[in-house]
Amino acid sequence: MLDGCVPWPEDLAARYREAGYWRGETLGALLRRWAGEYGDREALVGADGRRRLTYRALDAWCDRLAAGFAARGVAPGDRVLVQLPNTPDFVAVCFALFRLGALPVFALPAYRDNEIRHLAELSGASAYVVPDSFNGFDHRALAVSVRDEIPAITQVFVAGDPGAPDAGCVALADVDADPVELPEPDASDVAFFLLSGGTTALPKLIPRTHDDYAYQTRITGEICGLDASTVYLAVLPVEFNFPWGCPGIIGTLRAGGRVVFAETPQPLACFPLIERERVTLTSVIPTIVHLWLDAVEEGHGHDLSSLEVLQVGSAKLHDELAERIEPLLEVRLQQVFGMAEGLLTFTRYDDPRETVLTTQGRPVSPADEIRVVDADGAEVPDGAVGELLTRGPYTLRGYYRAPEHNATAFTEDGFYRSGDLVRRTPGGEIVIEGRVKDVVIRGGDKVSATEVEGHLAAHPDVQQAAVVAMPDPALGEKVCAYVIAAPGRPAPRLPVLRELLRSRGLAAYKLPDRVEIVDSFPLTGLNKVDKKVLRARIADKLERLAKAAA
Ligand code: AMP
């Protein structure tokens, strides 16, 4: 196992192998098998519908890309930052790196300088793959500046225009060589890194092994009944665990289905794709559900009748919204709760309607172990709220290169402390009730309060900042910054603080949506800022303002 990663203990690993969860196959080898089985069926379709790749073509492209990367010095064990939008390139680059035994480090397209530098340094990446530009942002310029400042990064690969020759970037199209024999990586080793939802200041790296991810995508694909007729629409950024492997893109490829990429979640972009490609399954967050249902109510003129299942997860789906989905979209709703760290819970197609509407379902694997515990770590009875702890065959045992954090993020017997407050129903379903971790879930994006507070405190007019979630009808939650002004300084205003954070290279979704200036913070008995009180205050205030405006 890669240095800096924490392996499963031998006895558990042996049990997972004996039970057939881990089958010793690498993701790169699996694609070769699928290409053999599904040959000329279409595997990937770009949003414009012009780029269409069969399994055979994808497999051959991955071999050439792997050889091309190897020829350009990318070696087994190297980490490679991959920050690409929803296109076939993303899948090809990842599988090429899997074949090579190099490890993709997923970077969200929304990430800017600050996040990318952090990921580059933490992962020790030697290469960085970007689009030329996306959503009006010049990714190539970002990549060049990161490469020029971080000595370990020696290469930038660009999907699209590599720019002027003196910038020294390589076009992905030129990463192409005759296939070569490559040593097969070990299936128990790390295949790639997902990102944590930011409970700490900046994302941590979640190592996912070939064995564990192959299992996750297989079991979730089975639960969802995927087969060669499945057409999956990748709406969320592909770097998220949800569209990549729950069962998502990999699960669909395993079943011989077709993956279609959407470049934005807007109904105006997605509905025509659903109609054109006869999409059967997709996975979204509650914010997107809102957009889609509103568009359906307004009338949109597209035929969505092929859509059979809508998976919703990543943030709490409230009952009222859940109830509108099936009648308006004429689909089956599947609630998904989970984390890039591992554990996934799904409602099942044959669950009673009440269960589907009001719970986040049951664990996907019989080997998922769950504990719901109180603040002292003692298990609480079913129906009582506690923190969810978990371990299992696809749940990490430690973040990459993070021994100190791991010491508190896991129990001694290897259970991951999710930071989510849940209750368990007598039927074994999980219901999300809140969280102990300090994160704002803005739409599906996780914003670490600690990270934003750290940046706000850098402003000379800010003495102290406390970031909390405030309710928002569209996004579920938004970012509210309570600020104590520095003595004798003017109270900082929202645009000024947003500009500060932007200039410090923070992704746009992390910028505060509102600032509340206060003289002091409420404190808990342990003299920590009492965020529960702050959250209640801002929720109260917004309600009063809304009433006054009505
Ligand atoms: P990520 O690793 O980015 O997928 O974030 C995982 C976190 O998202 C979980 O620990 C939860 O806090 C939250 N989450 C995921 N799914 C749901 C859901 N269905 N309902 C509420 N929160 C969710």
Side-chain angles (χ1 to χ4, degrees), residues 60-72 173-180:
W61 183 18
C62 290
D63 276 341
R64 297 196 67 87
L65 262 178
F69 279 128
R72 290 177 184 275
D174 292 335
V175 181
D176 179 64
D178 287 337
V180 286

Side-chain angles (χ1 to χ4, degrees), residues 3-130:
D3 212 29
C5 293
V6 185
W8 276 265
E10 255 323 304
D11 56 331
L12 267 182
R15 222 190 296 161
Y16 296 151
R17 285 193 187 95
E18 265 161 41
Y21 304 137
W22 294 354
R23 297 185 177 170
E25 282 177 301
T26 64
L27 295 170
L30 281 171
L31 176 64
R32 183 150 352 269
R33 175 137 67 79
W34 302 331
E37 279 175 44
Y38 311 126
D40 290 328
R41 295 185 63 88
E42 278 184 345
L44 305 179
V45 180
D48 63 9
R50 287 200 298 272
R51 271 185 99 186
R52 310 185 80 91
L53 280 158
T54 65
Y55 280 83
R56 203 186 309 282
L58 173 63
D59 185 50
W61 183 18
C62 290
D63 276 341
R64 297 196 67 87
L65 262 178
F69 279 128
R72 290 177 184 275
V74 180
D78 281 2
R79 274 79 63 203
V80 178
L81 293 183
V82 181
Q83 185 184 32
L84 289 172
N86 288 14
T87 59
D89 291 339
F90 178 81
V91 180
V93 165
C94 288
F95 275 90
L97 294 172
F98 296 158
R99 285 206 174 145
L100 189 53
L103 315 177
V105 179
F106 288 6
L108 301 181
Y111 279 179
R112 298 293 176 257
D113 198 73
N114 193 53
E115 292 90 5
I116 294 295
R117 268 167 218 274
H118 163 76
L119 289 183
E121 276 162 6
L122 179 60
S123 66
S126 62
Y128 182 11
V129 187
V130 287

